């Protein structure tokens, strides 16, 4: 689903295609000893994509980030870094500017067309003009190397904190017996099983779920997910909802619970919501799943 969307957005197939890894042996899942309830304190490790062509520096940065609890994906070229950013959905990208093939500026430009993942440039280019170019091209921060490891961690944590900060007027935990959302830890579960979501995916789902059966305009979802201006970024919402539906499919919630309202936005219909009576006149369904039921709202 992600690859199809990227291709529809004119992303070259070479940026998306990647060899499939060998399948891991399938193990029978162990039965839980007690009721399947989420661990309240167990937060998902933050995933950082590190794109750096210097092998020695990349290894040092990986060890530094791992030591501070981050899960690290490594790439050594702009092309492979872009592909990994598309398909791995990291929580943050630490990106060099001078890279083999396409440089960091071009990586960021292509990435910003379909994603709002936080990006920090980590580069030896220290000229003020380079810093301005980096920040105005969409980077969240710009670190000049060499620098102290403490500064790198502090900058990462600051960007992540700013990115995840959102005013919430609702209670921290939502639980309808099937879907559980923890707005403080940005964690979700379906029927007691963890549902892995990116920060943006969680924010959009959280907004939809806490305002179930009420249409959420694209501008509202942009504000909730990215704190972005209302006039831009509908494709960001569509792509995020597409990923959400893919993750909800196969769960008791189902991808069809997120309903398209063509030209306006989306709404959430819980699987526990009683079905609406059929409308008086028949019309072809629109959007995704049971969007035609909007006639009865």
């Amino acid at each position: 689903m992600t690859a199809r969307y990227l291709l529809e957005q004119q992303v070259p197939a070479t940026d998306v295609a990647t060899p499939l890894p060998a399948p891991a042996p399938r193990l029978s899942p162990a039965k839980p000893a007690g009721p399947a309830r989420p661990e309240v304190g167990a937060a998902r490790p933050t995933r950082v994509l590190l794109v750096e062509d210097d092998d020695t520096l990349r290894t040092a940065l990986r060890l530094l980030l791992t030591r501070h609890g981050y899960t690290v994906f490594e790439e050594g070229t702009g092309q492979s870094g872009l592909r990994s950013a598309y398909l791995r959905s990291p929580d943050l990208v630490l990106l060099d500017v001078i890279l083999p093939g396409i440089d960091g500026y071009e990586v960021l430009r292509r990435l910003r067309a379909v994603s709002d993942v936080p990006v920090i440039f980590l580069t030896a280019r220290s000229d003020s003009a380079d810093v301005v170019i980096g920040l105005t091209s969409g980077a969240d921060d710009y670190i000049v190397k060499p620098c102290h490891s403490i500064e790198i961690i502090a900058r990462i944590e600051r960007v992540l904190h700013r990115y995840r900060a959102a005013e919430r007027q609702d209670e921290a935990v939502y639980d309808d017996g099937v879907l559980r959302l923890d707005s403080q830890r940005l964690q979700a579960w379906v029927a007691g099983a963890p549902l892995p979501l990116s920060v943006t995916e969680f924010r959009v789902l959280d907004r939809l779920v806490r305002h179930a059966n009420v249409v959420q305009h694209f501008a509202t979802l942009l504000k909730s997910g990215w704190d972005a201006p209302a006039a831009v970024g509908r494709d960001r919402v569509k792509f995020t909802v597409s990923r959400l539906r893919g993750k909800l499919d196969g769960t008791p919630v189902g991808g069809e619970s997120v309903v398209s309202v063509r030209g306006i936005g989306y709404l959430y219909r819980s699987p526990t919501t009683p079905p609406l009576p059929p409308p008086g006149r028949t019309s072809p369904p629109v959007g995704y799943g049971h969007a035609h039921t909007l006639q009865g709202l």
Side-chain angles (χ1 to χ4, degrees):
M1 184 178 297
T2 300
R4 183 168 63 250
Y5 173 85
L6 294 170
L7 293 173
E8 290 173 353
Q9 298 302 308
Q10 310 303 315
V11 174
T14 53
D15 288 356
V16 180
T18 184
L20 293 174
R26 303 188 64 175
L27 302 176
S28 300
K31 292 185 177 181
R37 299 298 296 174
E39 291 291 337
V40 175
R44 172 178 62 79
T46 300
R47 298 163 299 179
V48 175
L49 171 61
L50 172 60
V51 187
E52 168 63 58
D53 64 323
D54 186 310
D55 294 339
T56 303
L57 180 57
R58 190 170 67 246
T59 299
L61 288 169
R62 173 175 53 80
L63 293 174
L64 170 67
L65 294 170
T66 303
R67 199 160 57 239
H68 282 80
Y70 295 102
T71 296
V72 182
F73 307 127
E74 299 177 60
E75 299 294 346
T77 69
Q79 193 77 28
S80 61
L82 186 63
R83 183 183 301 121
S84 188
Y86 283 151
L87 302 179
R88 291 183 182 270
S89 298
D91 299 307
L92 182 138
V93 179
L94 198 58
L95 179 63
D96 191 7
V97 172
I98 305 173
L99 293 167
I102 58 175
D103 64 17
Y105 295 139
E106 179 64 14
V107 170
L108 180 59
R109 186 190 69 78
R110 297 190 193 180
L111 186 57
R112 278 291 174 258
V114 294
S115 173
D116 280 278
V117 60
V119 175
I120 298 177
F121 276 127
L122 179 61
T123 175
R125 289 190 173 182
S126 59
D127 188 84
S128 58
D130 291 317
V131 177
V132 171
I133 292 172
L135 294 176
T136 56
S137 63
D140 295 86
D141 205 346
Y142 193 103
I143 305 175
V144 177
K145 55 187 180 184
C147 59
H148 201 284
S149 60
I150 297 177
E151 179 185 356
I152 296 174
I153 297 300
R155 296 282 193 101
I156 290 174
E157 292 179 351
R158 184 179 67 87
V159 168
L160 287 172
H161 176 74
R162 185 178 66 222
Y163 186 75
R164 290 170 173 169
E167 294 182 1
R168 299 188 182 276
Q169 299 177 353
D170 303 295
E171 294 182 357
V173 177
Y174 166 93
D175 195 334
D176 61 8
V178 178
L179 178 64
R180 178 182 172 91
L181 301 174
D182 187 328
S183 299
Q184 289 185 340
R185 295 180 174 85
L186 304 180
Q187 292 177 285
W189 300 265
V190 176
L195 179 66
L197 298 175
S198 70
V199 172
T200 304
E201 289 165 357
F202 182 94
R203 287 177 173 177
V204 171
L205 180 62
D206 192 53
R207 175 71 192 189
L208 291 168
V209 168
R210 292 179 186 269
H211 299 80
N213 298 322
V214 178
V215 178
Q216 301 300 303
H217 195 275
F218 285 108
T220 302
L221 295 174
L222 277 165
K223 181 67 176 177
S224 298
W226 297 267
D227 197 24
V232 298
R234 283 193 175 192
D235 285 343
R236 299 175 181 178
V237 177
K238 293 178 181 179
F239 181 44
T240 298
V241 169
S242 177
R243 292 198 311 256
L244 263 177
R245 285 170 170 163
K247 293 181 178 181
L248 291 171
D249 278 331
T251 74
V253 174
E256 69 274 13
S257 61
V258 180
V259 181
S260 299
V261 185
R262 185 169 296 168
I264 301 176
Y266 298 89
L267 67 80
Y268 174 80
R269 284 185 58 80
S270 167
T272 60
T273 302
L276 295 173
R281 60 176 184 174
T282 59
S283 60
V286 296
Y288 189 95
H290 48 263
H292 57 287
T293 59
L294 282 172
Q295 298 178 73
L297 293 180

